[in-house]
Structures are given as structure tokens and as C-alpha cells.
């Protein structure tokens, strides 16, 4: 999904971009309001993170502008300090959440993922087209989240990519070599156990018995597959 980040403090904007990209989210990053507004008008955005104090045009004005354009995607406001009146103002203008500086980057990532999940959940057209459901397992490539019987499963980016790749090729046997080359984008060596280790960790997190797996099955001497 595409995230717009606006903050005139370069270090903060760069840090937010880094953590969001680590979650395989696309980021449009801006240090000034003018460029951010142009992006809002011309690009498909799924969530906006707006600093309140940004030059001549503050985050409240941009938030209001987004809603006036008719966009319904989540908006998270960043602020060094917030009064109750400011918070009420932002929520009235259409903001969905606030994060006060200084903040922990992982908290920001969690808030972003939560907002994206709510957005896709209550927009069925978005949800239905992208979520992959397999026997109680839900994989959402847009929010980069995985749920098993409605409980979120915490996967590393590589683990998520492996599970998503196998889910997108249900019924097909995928070799360790292909998985490694697709996910790590490097040449595979015969003695490379990286894929096997990651598969084992995914199974543990899914509580998937390797001897009688419900999700990822091993085809000995060939590779792995998820049944249709």
C-alpha cells in the first residue's frame, strides 16, 4: 500500500520512511506541504501521515483538503505537543489518529497497520480483492498482516513474503531454489538451508505440524506447497 509521509524535520521523515519500507509499504516522502499536496492530487494514496506544523500550510489544512477532495483513507497526525482543543479540531476535520513526538517507530508502524486493516475491513471492495483466505488463515498483502482464526500472527518481512508467495501459487509445488531466488533475489546454492529454516519458523508460528501440516506441505525432494 502507498503511504504519504509529510514532515519538515528531515530526520523524522527519513526514519518513518525507513520503518515503513521495512514493512514492504510504498512511501511518498515530503519535507514541504506544496509537494505533498501535489502528490495527494495526482497519486493513489492509502494512508497519510501529516506533521501538524509544516511551513505555511499546516497539517490541519491538508487533512481538511484531503477530505474535501473526497478521499476516505486514514490520516495520522504527528505533533510535538497536542492540546485537547487541537485534537478535537483534527478529529473534526477528519483525522483518524494522533502520535505525539517523540515516538517509538514501531508504535507508529503498529498504528499504521491497524489503520490500514480497519480501512480495508470497512471497504469490502478493497478487502475482498486482496485478502487470501485458506482454512482460517488470512493473508493481507496490502496491510502486510497475517491472521489465523482472527488472531494476528507476527511474521518477519521474509517470512510473510514466503507465505504470500506460496499462497499465490496454491496447488503448485515451489522449489527451495525458486523461493530463495524470488524472495532473496540471489543465486541459490545447493547447501543453502535458509528457506528450510524460514519454513520451519513459519510453521511454528502457525502451529502447523510438519508431519501432518494444515498449511505448508513438504513435497520431499521437490519443494513446498499450499493445497487449494
Amino acid at each position: 500500500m502507498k503511504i504519504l509521509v509529510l514532515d519538515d524535520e528531515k530526520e523524522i521523515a527519513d526514519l518513518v520512511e525507513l520503518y515503513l519500507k521495512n514493512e514492504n509499504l510504498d512511501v511518498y516522502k515530503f519535507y514541504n506541504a506544496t509537494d505533498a499536496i501535489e502528490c495527494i492530487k495526482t497519486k493513489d494514496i492509502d494512508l497519510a501521515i501529516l506533521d501538524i506544523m509544516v511551513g505555511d500550510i499546516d497539517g490541519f489544512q491538508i487533512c481538511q483538503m484531503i477530505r474535501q477532495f473526497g478521499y476516505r483513507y486514514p490520516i495520522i497526525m504527528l505533533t510535538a505537543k497536542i492540546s485537547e482543543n487541537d485534537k478535537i479540531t483534527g478529529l473534526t476535520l477528519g483525522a483518524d489518529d494522533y502520535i505525539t513526538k517523540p515516538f517509538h517507530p514501531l508504535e507508529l508502524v503498529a498504528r499504521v497497520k491497524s489503520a490500514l486493516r480497519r480501512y480495508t475491513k470497512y471497504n469490502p471492495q478493497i478487502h475482498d480483492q486482496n485478502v487470501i483466505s485458506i482454512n482460517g488463515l488470512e493473508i493481507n498483502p496490502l496491510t502486510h498482516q497475517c491472521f489465523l482464526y482472527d488472531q494476528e500472527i507476527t511474521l518477519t518481512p521474509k517470512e510473510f513474503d514466503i507465505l504470500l508467495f506460496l499462497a499465490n501459487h496454491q496447488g503448485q509445488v515451489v522449489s527451495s531454489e525458486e523461493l530463495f531466488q524470488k524472495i532473496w533475489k540471489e543465486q541459490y546454492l545447493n547447501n543453502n538451508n535458509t528457506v528450510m529454516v524460514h519454513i520451519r519458523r513459519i510453521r511454528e508460528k502457525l502451529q502447523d505440524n510438519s508431519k501432518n501440516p494444515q498449511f505448508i506441505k513438504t513435497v520431499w525432494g521437490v519443494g513446498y506447497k499450499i493445497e487449494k
Side-chain angles (χ1 to χ4, degrees):
M1 300 191 84
K2 299 175 178 62
I3 314 299
L4 181 138
V5 175
L6 170 62
D7 198 310
D8 58 2
E9 294 184 66
K10 185 177 184 299
E11 294 78 9
I12 292 179
D14 292 349
L15 182 65
V16 171
E17 178 188 38
L18 174 65
Y19 274 80
L20 293 179
K21 283 189 171 182
N22 282 342
E23 297 296 324
N24 285 348
L25 296 167
D26 293 331
V27 179
Y28 297 119
K29 177 185 64 178
F30 301 98
Y31 306 128
N32 66 81
T34 302
D35 291 341
I37 291 171
E38 183 63 26
C39 178
I40 291 167
K41 292 179 179 178
T42 58
K43 302 290 186 181
D44 290 328
I45 305 295
D46 296 295
L47 181 144
I49 300 173
L50 307 175
D51 184 23
I52 290 180
M53 303 303 295
V54 187
D56 297 333
I57 305 175
D58 63 36
F60 289 140
Q61 291 174 284
I62 299 175
C63 176
Q64 184 177 30
M65 189 181 304
I66 290 172
R67 296 302 183 229
Q68 288 175 343
F69 287 156
Y71 299 130
R72 299 169 57 191
Y73 53 76
I75 299 173
I76 297 176
M77 309 297 293
L78 292 181
T79 176
K81 56 183 178 179
I82 188 74
S83 68
E84 283 301 315
N85 287 337
D86 284 340
K87 188 171 184 178
I88 291 170
T89 298
L91 294 173
T92 301
L93 293 174
D96 296 272
D97 199 0
Y98 276 89
I99 295 181
T100 305
K101 300 176 183 178
F103 56 86
H104 195 294
L106 292 179
E107 179 190 358
L108 175 64
V109 169
R111 298 274 194 98
V112 167
K113 292 172 72 173
S114 176
L116 288 173
R117 176 164 170 77
R118 290 195 302 271
Y119 178 52
T120 55
K121 179 178 180 180
Y122 293 109
N123 288 270
Q125 184 177 3
I126 297 174
H127 181 76
D128 292 341
Q129 288 179 353
N130 294 281
V131 174
I132 301 171
S133 297
I134 308 167
N135 299 327
L137 177 67
E138 286 194 352
I139 306 167
N140 190 330
L142 297 181
T143 61
H144 218 255
Q145 288 176 293
C146 175
F147 290 83
L148 181 61
Y149 307 123
D150 292 327
Q151 297 295 316
E152 185 166 10
I153 306 299
T154 302
L155 300 174
T156 67
K158 285 290 189 292
E159 291 168 352
F160 183 89
D161 288 345
I162 289 171
L163 185 60
L164 178 61
F165 189 85
L166 291 173
N168 280 329
H169 294 79
Q170 287 180 62
Q172 302 176 31
V173 180
V174 181
S175 68
S176 295
E177 179 179 359
E178 182 179 2
L179 271 173
F180 188 83
Q181 291 175 346
K182 293 291 185 182
I183 305 303
W184 278 268
K185 304 186 186 307
E186 297 177 10
Q187 184 178 358
Y188 179 80
L189 301 176
N190 289 333
N191 61 349
N192 192 329
N193 293 322
T194 303
V195 172
M196 182 181 66
V197 171
H198 279 72
I199 292 288
R200 185 174 68 242
R201 289 175 181 168
I202 295 169
R203 282 175 171 160
E204 289 173 355
K205 292 180 179 181
L206 297 180
Q207 299 179 10
D208 203 15
N209 189 331
S210 59
K211 295 181 180 179
N212 185 28
Q214 182 180 359
F215 301 111
I216 302 176
K217 297 187 177 182
T218 300
V219 180
W220 294 108
V222 185
Y224 306 95
K225 74 172 179 176
I226 293 178
E227 296 283 10
K228 283 190 175 180

